[in-house]
Amino acid sequence: MGCGSGSCGTAKEGEEPAGCGSKGGCSTGSCNKNNVSDWLADMPLSFNENFNIVEIAFKKGSRKGFYRNPEHFDLHKGQLVVVEAAQGFDIGEVSIQGELVKVQMKKHKVTERDDTIRNIMRMATEADINTFLDGRNKENETMVRARAISKSQNLQMKIGDVEYQGDGKKLTIYYTADDRVDFRELVKVFARDFKVKIEMRQIGARQEAARIGGMGTCGRELCCSTWLQDFKSVTTQAVRYQNLAINTEKMSGQCGRLKCCLNYELDTYNDALKKFPKNVEKIETEEGVAVLRKTEILKKQMWFEYEGTHGSPFKLDVETVAELIWMNKSGKKPASLSNYNVVEETIVDESKHDDLVGQVSLTSLMEKERRNRNKSRSKGQSSGNRDNRGGRQENRSNENRPAQDNRNKPQGDRKPQGDRTNQQGGNRNNPQGGNRNNQQGGNRNNQGGNRNRPQGDRDKPQGDKPENKGPQTPDNQ
């Protein structure tokens, strides 16, 4: 599906390659819908020189057609040419030529003598290309305007795409609708507004998705916009045969219909189902009646479980099930299904290393980060409180502590002070007596009761300190 001639990726020395914005990486065919690799393009001779039909693509492969080359122009892939149209002319690019065109014509059931095949008029000139590009630049704005007009007419239709003809004299509007739409008045409004000839063309939902393009749930480009051209009907039987859950959201594509890929493996499942016994719902044993719970088509296995039990199924091969059904028809019952249970051995590949990255979940990382953030916040608050408390203690000790020179001097007889817990003298909490902030009584900063005030003769040697066992009376009293 890549660009066979490399026209998108070829460039002169020192220049960037022309074509799509992927700079020459057209490996998926995204630069041209329904792209075909012309792997015979580099062959010098053709097998049939009289064959002069070329496939031309319009609007990046959204529409293709076969055209004759009566003048035998020297064409190559991606070259713009002017072709005949029903009225006027159109401009397209060469998709494939040579022997591969015969294969495509056979696929679409088109013969060489078909009268619908038109001719290639000439190579596109610079004026033709400018007209062609002007029409392409107006298509987006025209589609938005056309949708607004159709909505004002209250018509049950959806405009999916618009396309200007190469000469700019015709506008084709593609739409989808469930019922028949009377758009006679709508065409008059379009012709008066856009001032060109209008052609309304109804397409299906799959054709609309093929023209628009997009990405599928598999992560690749849509099959209908890259290589699939025949749209076969897809029914719910394809879902049932493959034992898939009937979920409209998962089974539907961007077109709103069942996915085309449901038919890809249907033949394989149908061939595998031919080996399964038919109408198998129950197997009678001596332990009880076993009921069919699940069928694995590709593994050719069937799961049975006794009635009234849950969570203990037995896995049997298709040949074993056919043998047990034959025994039941003969009037015999097997002892138990456990004798026929298939046990699969788990093979541990020791060559692989443990995925240490996969063991760490995003939730655990977020929880660890949150704990570290809370720990750092609480640590910062506690250190701030401790610093404030230390600052207050340091200030208080500096204010009440005596000078450093006097701390080591001998003190004289210290007069016994009243008990600090005394309500009259040293009670800290008593506002009348020993309040620390009260200027009367035992205020520590007061000149009367300040403990830093020199008591007695501090130069005299200190005598024996009386034991402070409560309030005492001095000896001289």
Side-chain angles (χ1 to χ4, degrees):
M1 292 188 296
C3 300
S5 64
S7 59
C8 290
T10 54
K12 298 180 181 180
E13 185 177 357
E15 297 181 0
E16 293 184 353
C20 59
S22 60
K23 305 306 178 187
C26 304
S27 58
T28 60
S30 59
C31 61
N32 194 353
K33 296 183 178 65
N34 294 322
N35 203 0
V36 179
S37 177
D38 192 358
W39 52 278
L40 296 175
D42 297 332
M43 299 187 66
L45 297 177
S46 176
F47 296 104
N48 189 358
E49 295 181 358
N50 297 326
F51 185 76
N52 61 348
I53 298 179
V54 184
E55 185 185 65
I56 305 298
F58 302 91
K59 198 175 180 179
K60 297 183 179 180
S62 299
R63 177 172 59 91
K64 290 185 177 182
F66 300 102
Y67 293 86
R68 288 189 175 93
N69 185 14
E71 302 295 335
H72 298 283
F73 294 110
D74 186 13
L75 305 177
H76 58 82
K77 182 179 176 66
Q79 187 174 6
L80 295 178
V81 294
V82 179
V83 298
E84 295 178 351
Q87 292 181 356
F89 61 89
D90 202 355
I91 298 177
E93 59 177 310
V94 178
S95 176
I96 55 174
Q97 56 181 341
E99 296 298 322
L100 289 181
V101 180
K102 292 183 178 181
V103 180
Q104 295 294 325
M105 292 177 65
K106 184 179 180 179
K107 183 178 181 180
H108 293 280
K109 298 180 181 180
V110 179
T111 62
E112 297 183 25
R113 299 179 181 179
D114 198 339
D115 297 335
T116 60
I117 300 178
R118 296 187 174 92
N119 299 328
I120 297 177
M121 299 174 58
R122 62 180 184 274
M123 307 293 288
T125 61
E126 185 176 357
D128 296 333
I129 295 176
N130 292 334
T131 305
F132 170 73
L133 295 178
D134 291 341
R136 287 289 177 266
N137 295 332
K138 293 189 300 182
E139 286 180 354
N140 190 17
E141 181 181 356
T142 302
M143 183 176 63
V144 175
R145 177 61 180 163
R147 287 179 177 178
I149 295 174
S150 63
K151 187 176 181 180
S152 63
Q153 297 287 334
N154 296 325
L155 298 177
Q156 299 299 324
M157 58 183 295
K158 176 187 176 183
I159 298 177
D161 193 14
V162 297
E163 181 181 355
Y164 275 96
Q165 194 169 272
D167 55 1
K169 298 180 180 180
K170 180 182 175 181
L171 176 63
T172 305
I173 299 177
Y174 299 91
Y175 72 95
T176 58
D178 296 334
D179 300 327
R180 186 170 181 175
V181 180
D182 184 8
F183 47 77
R184 288 176 293 183
E185 294 295 331
L186 183 64
V187 171
K188 295 179 182 179
V189 177
F190 284 162
R192 185 174 60 251
D193 198 351
F194 302 129
K195 296 180 177 57
V196 292
K197 183 179 179 180
I198 304 298
E199 179 184 355
M200 303 293 294
R201 185 173 297 181
Q202 184 175 2
I203 58 176
R206 298 181 187 273
Q207 288 80 7
E208 181 187 16
R211 291 188 65 88
I212 298 175
M215 302 293 292
T217 56
C218 59
R220 298 177 61 90
E221 297 178 58
L222 297 180
C223 298
C224 56
S225 63
T226 51
W227 63 272
L228 184 64
Q229 296 179 354
D230 298 333
F231 298 101
K232 297 181 180 180
S233 60
V234 185
T235 61
T236 55
Q237 294 294 332
V239 181
R240 294 190 179 97
Y241 287 152
Q242 301 178 48
N243 286 339
L244 299 175
I246 301 178
N247 190 339
T248 56
E249 295 181 357
K250 294 183 178 181
M251 296 293 104
S252 301
Q254 292 188 1
C255 58
R257 306 294 189 269
L258 291 176
K259 294 180 179 179
C260 298
C261 56
L262 292 175
N263 285 338
Y264 295 168
E265 299 178 356
L266 183 59
D267 296 337
T268 303
Y269 279 87
N270 289 332
D271 294 340
L273 285 173
K274 294 179 181 178
K275 300 180 181 180
F276 280 72
K278 298 181 180 179
N279 300 326
V280 178
E281 297 295 336
K282 297 181 180 180
I283 296 178
E284 296 181 358
T285 63
E286 295 180 358
E287 292 185 358
V289 179
V291 184
L292 178 64
R293 297 299 186 188
K294 188 176 71 170
T295 302
E296 293 185 359
I297 301 176
L298 299 181
K299 290 185 177 181
K300 299 179 181 180
Q301 294 177 350
M302 304 176 72
W303 296 58
F304 288 86
E305 194 174 29
Y306 287 112
E307 292 182 348
T309 60
H310 298 283
S312 57
F314 297 95
K315 184 164 48 176
L316 308 179
D317 292 331
V318 176
E319 295 81 5
T320 305
V321 174
E323 181 181 354
L324 296 178
I325 294 298
W326 179 82
M327 293 176 61
N328 288 158
K329 291 181 179 180
S330 302
K332 301 179 181 179
K333 296 181 180 180
S336 176
L337 293 181
S338 59
N339 300 330
Y340 306 94
N341 188 24
V342 177
V343 180
E344 296 181 354
E345 296 181 359
T346 304
I347 301 176
V348 180
D349 190 1
E350 298 180 355
S351 61
K352 296 182 179 179
H353 299 283
D354 294 337
D355 187 8
L356 301 179
V357 180
Q359 297 178 2
V360 181
S361 61
L362 182 61
T363 307
S364 61
L365 292 176
M366 294 175 63
E367 183 66 21
K368 183 178 180 180
E369 183 180 358
R370 186 183 62 82
R371 289 197 303 265
N372 294 336
R373 186 168 56 252
N374 295 337
K375 186 184 295 184
S376 61
R377 186 184 297 114
S378 60
K379 183 177 180 181
Q381 292 178 358
S382 61
S383 61
N385 295 334
R386 186 165 55 250
D387 294 341
N388 295 335
R389 186 171 60 251
R392 288 195 301 267
Q393 293 178 355
E394 183 179 0
N395 294 334
R396 186 175 60 186
S397 61
N398 290 336
E399 291 176 0
N400 299 330
R401 191 166 52 193
Q404 189 70 19
D405 298 336
N406 298 330
R407 291 182 62 184
N408 299 326
K409 291 183 179 181
Q411 300 180 3
D413 294 336
R414 300 178 62 183
K415 295 183 179 180
Q417 301 178 358
D419 192 357
R420 301 179 68 180
T421 60
N422 194 356
Q423 295 181 0
Q424 296 180 0
N427 193 349
R428 291 184 175 184
N429 300 325
N430 191 354
Q432 297 178 1
N435 193 345
R436 297 170 63 183
N437 298 325
N438 192 2
Q439 295 181 0
Q440 300 175 4
N443 191 348
R444 303 174 68 181
N445 297 327
N446 193 10
Q447 295 181 0
N450 192 352
R451 66 177 185 179
N452 297 328
R453 182 181 178 183
Q455 300 174 5
D457 192 359
R458 304 187 65 177
D459 296 332
K460 295 181 179 180
Q462 186 177 357
D464 294 336
K465 294 183 179 180
E467 249 181 301
N468 190 4
K469 295 182 179 180
Q472 298 180 358
T473 305
D475 295 339
N476 55 1
Q477 290 181 0

